[in-house]
Amino acid sequence: MPKCGPVVGRDSEIREVTGTLLSTGASARTLLLVGGAGTGKTAVLEQARRTVVGQGARVLRLRCHDGASAPGAAALADGVHQVLTTVHDRWSPARTGAVRRTRLRNSGRGGELTLLSTLGEVLGDAARHLPFALMIDDVERMPSPTASALGLLLRVFRPVGVPMVLAGRPAHPGDEGVRQLTVAADRLLELPPLRPADVEALVVRRLGRPVEAALVTAVVRALGPMAGTPEAVLSVLDSMAERGDFLELDGHVCLTEPEQALRLTTDVARLSRLCWPAGPPGAAALDAAAAVARNLEHAEIRLDDLHRLKPGGPRRAGLVDRTLTPLVADGILTVDEDRRIAFAVPALAAALRALPTRHAVSSLHALITRSLTDRLGAETAGGGCPRLADHVAAAGPELDDALAVDVLLAAARTDARSDWSRSVRAYSSALRRLPPHDRRTPGVLREWAELSLRHADHPGALALGEPLFACLAAPFAEQDRERPGCIAAVPDRDGLEHVAGVWALAALHEHRLPPCGVDADADAGPGGRAAVEYAPALAGFGALVGPYGLGPVTPRPGTEAPRGPAAAGSRPGSGPLPSAAELRLLAGAAGSRAGLSDVLPPGTDGGRTLDRLRNATAYADLADALAGVLGDRYPGAGSSTAGLYHAMVRAYLRGDWDRALASARRIEARSRTRGIAAGPAQAARALAADIHCARGELGYAREWLELVPATVTHPLVAWARLGVRYWSGQVEEAMEEALDEVRRARRSGLLSGVEKVLVRYLSFALLEAVPQAMERALDELEALDEEVGSPMTREAVLLGRGVVRRDRDSALAALRAVRGRGDAYLELLCHLGLAEIGDDCERWLAEATRGAQALGIGRATRTSLGHMKRRRTLVLPRVRPARDELSEKDIELTTMVSRGATNRQIAARLVWSEKTVERRLTRLFQRTGCRSRVELAAAWLDGSLARRDLVPDGVRGAAGGPFPAPAPAPGPGTPSSRR
């Protein structure tokens, strides 16, 4: 039996149903397919029916749910009558007449058995003359008398030779009719939940493109126990699509919505059918469920909290018995051992919160808070029950600020060790109620900052900014009112300075820019003057923006130690914040060695630290740089954007490029996610562009690079731009622009990473056979090594000397150094260099080929290998079949596009669907680097595809073939020919 593909994860069930429908004669049997709402029962039946009909069998539907007759045998007779009218032979009138006469003669209660006997006989007689199978869906919708009559028909008067398949939900207590059908069926088949792999396949099929694993994980978590229900998965996807929560990168669909915001559809009918097993709730019950969902959104509620409520509020009888009890009975709400109430399906709770409700939400939280504070006092209640802080925050203006702040601070300080994330929320809520000039505000800011820094909660620490600068501006505003022109002293200056450092470090971890360049003009207002007053404390952090690819470059960063409070108040090794000297080292590591001797650790540790910093700045890896400088004092990158990028760099260097691209997509999606403050990661975009370029996917590479502003000057970006421009055919422009970007980077003091650009420049000069450019690149590398003196510049010089001067020993030394450091792509370049100059060319070409295959490298490196093979008449080893040439179908598709054919015309000619045409065109654009049908047609007609070895030999139709056309002027999307 063929594999049943259209229904995901139900192949064995479809085969079982199909086998039942095909059973004939004495072997005909009855199967009951059971599954909850949305499990795909109807889809399984329909797919099995199509399979059976395709094999020439006949399947008829028996409908006895909505007939005009009274429930019972009469309604079943109506359904059988409709079935018989579709079985056309010479005995059809006699059968239908027999059913009609039996109904008329036996209309009383005692006549049901006679009617059922007649129904069984006429169905069996019809099946003997024209075999067919019966299919009955939604048996749970049958009135109980009708279901009982059908069960009796199957058990006592079963029609001979008529296989039956019934489908419905599991029987509930008291549902006697469905229970009888369960007993009467020969086989009971229950649809299990989909497996995780099947859920992913379902998501991919629905969206029509590959998806990020994080998206599937988020959907599964949001659905909880309903994760294996197909309709629930589709409901979440539809809801996300309606709100525009998807982002496509590299042909993969990513999620741009916080996981806790994923929700089921808000269509009440669909939501009720899917989530209420006992039947759709009434309007009042749904309204109450929405109120419960909103109450549970921000605070943990236990049954004990509700039992303590004072008279006058929602009493136990009203809230628990009428609202919570039915929800718990239906499995919608769960109550754990600690009597905590929660929704079993988070996506359902999110959908209910989106529905309107007439119930006041904040009042319940206020009542729960007062039930404790009135008896114990604010501070005692907050310290004894820290979770009360969430209720205070949810109560909002229902509680006065004085009471709320006392509870929040007591709860935050008690919870700091046991549940630090809830403690951070309590501090944040307290600061929203405390005025900036309150004497407690600086202390609360300091406690919050210390807690976030200790646990590497950089997104949480970033939220310090607004209350921090409001507190800094408060004294200035007070003086403006009392004595204009007089500058007041900021209270607890050292403490606020420390908080400013924590906030700036968090901003860098989230790839945001600390505002160190605020205008000092008096008209900027109190907030502006406060920021300027503390600019010296932030200047050291702001100097890290350029070297790590986060923003504009300050010329020669780190040549002078930060002045002002940061330099005076910071001591080396004083805590997780870097000192002034360490900030200078972090910023200056991207430049030369000059001026760094006084801030390096003594002995060999200083050299190792600087070398690690050089590697980190070359890849704009801020997390690795901080770890190298701070050592054990570094609290870690946590879940910050810098932490994600660090993982991407590690994956890139070890050659796991698929994982590196997945990290790049996560970073980009995170930067566009509502509720998470993260700026763009330019280095991640450049690295992703370079991976796609090396794999020959120029369309994706250009999409990534277009996200990087043209004003960004960083060697990593220059390196990626050089590769994309060169392999797009813009050879002269690529080489000239690369040298210009190297000069700009050196003028800005960004030297780490320049060696990567120069090595790539040298390799392209080798491919283009321009010895003068190769000598110039080597001279630049040697001058850079004298100025920087890092292991990476030394490796680059050795490789350059090996290639330019054909020095085999230097090239081997470079290879050994690169292997020791761990850089899969540079190791591949070393193999190519040794193959160019060494005696054992076949060995190095074999190594290069294996490395290229492991990295998934495409046309770019294969072209280089091909040039070397032709020059040395060598045979390249083939680790696996890999042809970058266009297939016959691709050639035919390209030809039709060049003739102006539409997708519909192409589909008709090639016997494809229009969706298949679109998918093949998208893949063709990626492989050729063209961004539109016009560019593809131009590249085909002017011979660009043939010159780039994409067209097999002997294929006509490119320039010089039967379809000549003038070549368009080169532009951003029309690569010029290579020299």
Side-chain angles (χ1 to χ4, degrees):
M1 191 173 295
K3 182 179 177 67
C4 304
V7 181
V8 174
R10 302 300 190 198
D11 293 338
S12 61
E13 289 81 6
I14 293 174
R15 283 194 292 268
E16 184 80 18
V17 173
T18 303
T20 300
L21 293 175
L22 289 175
S23 61
T24 58
S27 63
R29 57 189 184 273
T30 302
L31 181 143
L32 176 59
L33 183 67
V34 175
T39 52
K41 302 181 294 296
T42 302
V44 169
L45 291 184
E46 182 60 25
Q47 180 59 33
R49 187 193 66 80
R50 284 199 295 264
T51 303
V52 169
V53 170
Q55 297 181 18
R58 188 182 182 92
V59 180
L60 304 176
R61 294 185 183 275
L62 177 59
R63 294 182 175 88
C64 44
H65 306 62
D66 48 4
S69 300
L76 185 59
D78 285 344
V80 171
H81 184 272
Q82 292 177 4
V83 167
L84 294 176
T85 57
T86 63
V87 181
H88 299 291
D89 59 17
R90 58 180 178 173
W91 293 282
S92 295
R95 297 189 196 106
T96 56
V99 172
R100 190 180 303 110
R101 285 193 302 273
T102 304
R103 285 190 59 183
L104 294 174
R105 293 173 183 170
N106 302 276
S107 57
R109 180 174 181 81
E112 285 193 354
L113 293 179
T114 305
L115 179 57
L116 293 176
S117 175
T118 303
L119 294 179
E121 290 176 1
V122 297
L123 285 173
D125 180 70
R128 282 193 298 272
H129 292 85
L130 187 62
F132 63 87
L134 287 179
M135 183 180 290
I136 310 172
D137 199 0
D138 297 328
V139 295
E140 76 281 354
R141 291 174 48 204
M142 281 187 183
S144 184
T146 306
S148 298
L150 179 59
L152 189 59
L153 174 70
L154 295 178
R155 283 187 289 121
V156 181
F157 307 107
R158 178 174 296 185
V160 178
V162 181
M164 290 191 187
V165 175
L166 303 88
R169 297 190 188 185
H172 295 290
D175 194 347
E176 185 64 24
V178 177
R179 191 186 66 80
Q180 289 192 28
L181 290 177
T182 304
V183 174
D186 298 323
R187 170 93 162 87
L188 180 66
L189 180 61
E190 185 172 357
L191 285 181
L194 293 180
R195 298 170 299 174
D198 295 330
V199 173
E200 182 176 0
L202 180 62
V203 173
V204 170
R205 173 168 297 179
R206 184 57 168 236
L207 298 180
R209 298 174 297 281
V211 299
E212 274 297 309
L215 189 154
V216 180
T217 302
V219 171
V220 169
R221 287 178 180 169
L223 288 173
M226 293 184 68
T229 304
E231 189 175 352
V233 175
L234 298 178
S235 175
V236 172
L237 295 177
D238 292 344
S239 177
M240 294 161 65
E242 290 173 2
R243 294 183 293 163
D245 296 337
F246 293 131
L247 171 68
E248 185 171 348
L249 295 166
D250 301 346
H252 290 70
V253 180
C254 307
L255 176 65
T256 60
E257 181 74 8
E259 184 177 312
Q260 62 272 21
L262 300 190
R263 71 189 192 197
L264 293 165
T265 177
T266 53
D267 177 49
V268 173
R270 186 179 178 189
L271 191 68
S272 301
R273 181 178 59 82
L274 193 60
C275 301
W276 267 264
L286 192 64
D287 181 61
V292 172
R294 293 194 183 184
N295 276 298
L296 294 176
E297 180 179 7
H298 299 295
E300 171 190 302
I301 296 180
R302 303 187 184 187
L303 290 178
D304 298 339
D305 298 328
L306 303 178
H307 294 164
R308 282 195 303 264
L309 295 180
K310 287 184 173 183
R315 297 175 181 270
R316 178 185 178 188
L319 184 66
V320 178
D321 294 342
R322 284 192 286 108
T323 300
L324 298 185
T325 301
L327 293 175
V328 173
D330 288 338
I332 296 171
L333 283 180
T334 61
V335 180
D336 64 10
E337 296 177 353
D338 294 327
R339 298 168 66 83
R340 282 189 294 257
I341 304 169
F343 273 85
V345 179
L348 171 60
L352 290 173
R353 289 196 295 268
L355 299 178
T357 178
R358 58 184 175 80
H359 294 278
V361 174
S362 58
S363 60
L364 176 62
H365 297 284
L367 286 168
I368 292 174
T369 304
R370 291 197 185 97
S371 68
L372 286 173
T373 57
D374 288 351
R375 291 189 295 110
L376 304 176
E379 293 186 4
T380 304
C385 186
R387 63 185 180 85
L388 204 60
D390 288 337
H391 289 287
V392 173
E398 294 279 340
L399 295 175
D400 62 90
D401 289 342
L403 172 67
V405 169
D406 288 342
V407 174
L408 289 169
L409 293 183
R413 287 158 184 161
T414 303
D415 234 357
R417 291 182 179 273
S418 59
D419 192 342
W420 64 267
S421 59
R422 188 163 59 190
S423 181
V424 166
R425 293 198 303 270
Y427 280 126
S428 176
S429 299
L431 284 173
R432 283 196 292 270
R433 292 176 178 267
L434 277 174
H437 54 76
D438 192 285
R439 59 180 177 80
R440 294 173 292 179
T441 300
V444 175
L445 284 168
R446 178 68 179 257
E447 292 172 20
W448 178 4
E450 288 287 352
L451 194 59
S452 294
L453 189 60
R454 187 185 313 134
H455 295 280
D457 179 26
H458 302 295
L462 193 61
L464 282 164
E466 184 178 349
L468 168 65
F469 285 105
C471 182
L472 291 173
F476 293 91
E478 188 68 25
Q479 290 294 339
D480 285 345
R481 287 194 297 270
E482 295 180 2
R483 289 177 294 169
C486 180
I487 298 179
V490 178
D492 192 12
R493 183 185 185 94
D494 291 339
L496 291 181
E497 177 188 328
H498 178 78
V499 176
V502 173
W503 172 80
L505 185 63
L508 290 173
H509 272 92
E510 289 302 316
H511 288 188
R512 299 287 294 272
L513 312 182
C516 307
V518 181
D519 190 2
D521 195 300
D523 294 336
R529 294 204 302 275
V532 171
E533 180 72 13
Y534 274 80
L538 303 176
F541 293 96
L544 305 183
V545 167
Y548 296 96
L550 305 180
V553 181
T554 304
R556 296 291 178 183
T559 55
E560 297 181 6
R563 296 183 296 273
S570 300
R571 298 183 302 277
S574 61
L577 279 183
S579 65
E582 288 166 339
L583 285 172
R584 179 184 171 189
L585 177 59
L586 284 165
S592 65
R593 284 183 177 269
L596 293 178
S597 57
D598 57 332
V599 293
L600 282 174
T604 57
D605 288 343
R608 283 196 294 265
T609 298
L610 185 57
D611 289 344
R612 182 175 180 179
L613 280 175
R614 299 285 192 195
N615 293 340
T617 53
Y619 289 98
D621 188 354
L622 176 68
D624 194 40
L626 286 167
V629 169
L630 297 178
D632 293 338
R633 293 161 47 212
Y634 182 49
S639 60
S640 65
T641 305
L644 291 175
Y645 180 66
H646 175 73
M648 178 184 179
V649 172
R650 297 302 97 191
Y652 173 82
L653 290 176
R654 66 173 177 265
D656 191 353
W657 281 8
D658 289 333
R659 180 167 295 183
L661 285 174
S663 295
R665 290 190 288 266
R666 279 190 66 194
I667 292 169
E668 189 64 29
R670 179 187 176 107
S671 71
R672 308 184 193 190
T673 299
R674 296 189 291 274
I676 297 179
Q682 312 299 351
R685 293 168 171 173
L687 211 54
D690 191 71
I691 292 174
H692 283 298
C693 178
R695 288 183 165 181
E697 299 164 344
L698 292 177
Y700 287 150
R702 279 198 289 259
E703 288 176 7
W704 278 105
L705 269 185
E706 286 170 357
L707 298 174
V708 181
T711 56
V712 173
T713 301
H714 193 278
L716 196 64
V717 177
W719 176 60
R721 285 172 178 158
L722 171 58
V724 172
R725 287 169 180 161
Y726 178 85
W727 291 112
S728 295
Q730 306 168 23
V731 178
E732 296 84 357
E733 179 185 353
M735 306 289 274
E736 292 173 4
E737 287 291 335
L739 290 180
D740 288 342
E741 294 199 51
V742 165
R743 296 187 193 102
R744 287 197 296 272
R746 299 194 66 168
R747 284 196 300 269
S748 300
L750 298 183
L751 303 182
S752 290
V754 168
E755 68 277 356
K756 294 173 64 64
V757 186
L758 293 174
V759 166
R760 175 161 284 178
Y761 180 93
L762 189 152
S763 67
F764 290 161
L766 173 65
L767 284 178
E768 297 296 320
V770 186
Q772 300 88 346
M774 296 168 61
E775 289 286 351
R776 180 169 50 190
L778 180 58
D779 292 342
E780 292 274 359
L781 282 171
E782 290 176 337
L784 181 69
D785 186 47
E786 290 181 5
E787 187 175 1
V788 176
S790 71
M792 293 184 69
T793 57
R794 187 62 182 165
E795 293 166 6
V797 168
L798 289 173
L799 179 59
R801 287 173 181 169
V803 173
V804 176
R805 298 173 185 169
R806 311 189 69 78
D807 185 344
R808 184 174 180 273
D809 292 336
S810 292
L812 284 172
L815 176 60
R816 287 192 295 269
V818 169
R819 279 178 175 169
R821 182 171 58 84
D823 189 332
Y825 188 53
L826 191 55
E827 184 178 344
L828 171 63
L829 295 183
C830 290
H831 289 151
L832 291 175
L834 283 166
E836 177 68 20
I837 63 172
D839 299 329
D840 194 1
C841 300
E842 291 186 0
R843 171 194 171 189
W844 299 117
L845 278 173
E847 292 283 349
T849 301
R850 279 190 285 270
Q853 294 283 2
L855 294 174
I857 283 180
R859 175 175 57 84
T861 300
R862 287 205 294 275
T863 299
S864 306
L865 293 170
H867 288 176
M868 293 177 180
K869 180 192 74 170
R870 286 191 291 271
R871 282 201 299 271
R872 297 182 175 273
T873 64
L874 298 172
V875 177
L876 285 177
R878 299 299 297 269
V879 180
R880 66 182 182 193
R883 290 180 60 83
D884 204 44
E885 295 175 346
L886 300 181
S887 66
E888 182 180 348
K889 287 293 186 183
D890 290 333
I891 295 295
E892 191 170 1
L893 175 60
T894 306
T895 303
M896 296 188 71
V897 168
S898 68
R899 293 174 176 175
T902 65
N903 284 4
R904 180 171 297 178
Q905 292 170 332
I906 295 173
R909 171 71 181 273
L910 301 181
V911 197
W912 291 344
S913 67
E914 291 189 48
K915 182 171 287 188
T916 300
V917 174
E918 293 176 2
R919 188 163 55 247
R920 294 292 291 264
L921 273 176
T922 300
R923 192 179 305 138
L924 199 56
F925 290 156
Q926 295 164 5
R927 294 183 63 191
T928 61
C930 300
R931 290 179 288 185
S932 66
R933 299 166 71 98
V934 175
E935 289 186 14
L936 179 63
W940 170 254
L941 294 174
D942 68 6
S944 297
L945 299 183
R947 289 193 295 272
R948 289 157 54 191
D949 300 326
L950 289 174
V951 180
D953 296 336
V955 173
R956 295 170 60 83
F963 310 113
T974 308
S976 62
S977 62
R978 291 182 12 162
R979 222 173 0 177

